[in-house]
Amino acid sequence: MAEKATQSLAGWFVVTFAGGGLWVVRRVFTNQKQIEMLQREIEMRDGRREEDRQMMLDIRSDVKELRRDISQKG
């Protein structure tokens, strides 16, 4: 009876540690995937921000040109 209980206890330890190990591996891969997704999103936002900056420079240039044209005609 004691031997059976010991085997059962050992089995539970093995199952518990294996389950814990699988949980850790799954958690690490899930976190890694989320980190990669966040990095891609940050890169996309940086690209958009740079495009927005370039558009703002173009708009400023156009406004200056329009002001110059208006002041020359007036």
Side-chain angles (χ1 to χ4, degrees), residues 40-54:
R40 274 185 258 137
E41 185 177 342
I42 288 170
E43 289 172 2
M44 285 177 28
R45 286 183 182 186
D46 286 345
R48 287 184 198 147
R49 189 175 301 123
E50 189 58 40
E51 290 173 7
D52 290 345
R53 285 182 184 145
Q54 187 60 44

Side-chain angles (χ1 to χ4, degrees), residues 3-58:
E3 185 178 320
K4 217 175 193 184
T6 304
Q7 288 176 350
S8 178
L9 189 59
W12 276 107
F13 278 131
V14 169
V15 169
T16 301
F17 285 121
L22 288 174
W23 178 81
V24 167
V25 168
R26 186 176 143 258
R27 188 73 174 164
V28 166
F29 283 127
T30 301
N31 285 346
Q32 184 63 33
K33 192 173 187 178
Q34 289 174 344
I35 289 169
E36 290 171 1
M37 288 172 56
L38 288 172
Q39 287 174 335
R40 274 185 258 137
E41 185 177 342
I42 288 170
E43 289 172 2
M44 285 177 28
R45 286 183 182 186
D46 286 345
R48 287 184 198 147
R49 189 175 301 123
E50 189 58 40
E51 290 173 7
D52 290 345
R53 285 182 184 145
Q54 187 60 44
M55 279 197 294
M56 287 299 294
L57 289 173
D58 292 344

